[in-house]
Amino acid sequence: MTAPAPEGSLAPVLRDVDAVVFDTDGVITESATVHAAAWKEAFDAYLRAHPPADPAARRPFDVRDDYLRHVDGRSRLDGAAAFLAARGVDATPETVQEVAAAKERLFTDRLREQGVDAYPGTVRLVRELRAAGVPRAAASASRHAGELLSRAGVLDLFDALVDGGEAARLGLAGKPEPDLFLEAAAQLGVPAGRAAVVEDALAGVEAGRRGGFALVVGVDRAAGEDTAARLLRHGADIVVRDLGELCAGGEPK
């Protein structure tokens, strides 16, 4: 078992967990906005070329609401299928693949043009956990997770990484199933009941709850009228706006 964190280095809520699994996009790196912009371009192009029968379903993809409801935290194929179904599109597997591939190209182009940064509060927390001897893993449905963490200069802060490529190789189910997080905890050698999950997506906090993790932390980057409440309803034990709140002196909600 991991030695307890030094008094004062971490918020009390983290002092009894033996490992922490972090989602990547929107939790560690400021890449969720890049994903959302790429999804918007891909979905809007599809809706213009193939307008649904219902005029209301033709409205453009909303980078906040539609992103959170349908694609955030999910694999590209699951996200594409979920959004198209929500707009009443009876999409074939080929159509889903086409839209997902368009998003992938757009995201890759944007990533290479813009780069990506890590959230300072997250970096602070991860460093505090490392200093306390608490194992840390990064987990993501994206195949780009390793590249994102490397570009942000934080890959070496994590003891394990489970990304979309690893998930495909192992046949892991996508969120809201807990497979991705359970594999990350297993790679750290810690059972879920002694580990925490940190997530910003509704599907992700639900996955943490389904996986039986000791603590599920929701990160409310959107800070909308009901976004924190939605994270709590889907399975978060606590919600913070920045992970620096889980270091000494923080005040998680």
Side-chain angles (χ1 to χ4, degrees):
M1 181 177 293
T2 303
E7 189 70 24
S9 64
L10 299 169
V13 72
L14 283 178
R15 292 179 189 157
D16 291 328
V17 299
D18 295 337
V20 182
V21 178
F22 293 82
D23 175 54
T24 301
D25 297 308
V27 172
I28 304 171
T29 59
E30 299 182 39
S31 46
T33 55
V34 186
H35 279 289
W39 276 122
K40 177 173 176 59
E41 190 168 345
F43 283 133
D44 287 356
Y46 179 85
L47 292 173
R48 286 193 300 269
H50 309 279
D54 180 2
R58 301 172 192 169
R59 66 189 183 280
F61 178 83
D62 187 288
V63 294
R64 180 182 162 208
D65 190 62
D66 285 327
Y67 182 75
L68 292 174
R69 287 180 182 275
H70 306 301
V71 301
D72 191 19
R74 301 179 187 272
S75 70
R76 283 184 293 112
L77 292 177
D78 288 347
F83 174 76
L84 293 174
R87 293 300 179 92
V89 176
D90 186 15
T92 64
E94 291 74 22
T95 296
V96 171
Q97 286 273 8
E98 178 184 342
V99 174
K103 182 268 176 180
E104 176 75 354
R105 290 191 299 271
L106 292 163
F107 176 79
T108 300
D109 290 346
R110 288 171 183 268
L111 176 62
R112 289 172 181 164
E113 290 170 4
Q114 302 173 13
V116 67
D117 294 320
Y119 288 101
T122 301
V123 175
R124 179 186 170 202
L125 175 61
V126 174
R127 291 187 186 281
E128 293 283 9
L129 290 166
R130 182 173 67 174
V134 179
R136 305 144 322 278
S140 174
S142 171
R143 294 173 182 265
H144 295 284
E147 180 182 2
L148 287 167
L149 295 174
S150 180
R151 283 176 172 267
V154 296
L155 182 60
D156 64 340
L157 295 179
F158 297 91
D159 300 302
L161 167 64
V162 181
D163 65 4
E166 181 84 344
R169 184 181 70 81
L170 295 174
L172 303 180
K175 303 171 191 175
E177 296 305 318
D179 299 29
L180 198 70
F181 294 147
L182 292 173
E183 174 62 24
Q187 290 192 17
L188 295 177
V190 177
R194 295 296 307 165
V197 161
V198 184
E199 252 286 3
D200 69 318
L202 300 180
V205 294
E206 185 174 340
R209 176 58 53 230
R210 290 187 184 188
F213 282 82
L215 176 69
V216 181
V217 179
V219 183
D220 182 18
R221 301 288 187 197
E225 290 183 4
D226 66 341
T227 47
R230 287 163 66 184
L231 287 165
L232 291 167
R233 287 197 301 270
H234 278 76
D237 294 302
I238 62 170
V239 174
V240 298
R241 291 191 178 180
D242 182 87
L243 288 174
E245 295 174 41
L246 296 181
C247 298
E251 298 181 356
K253 297 177 183 178

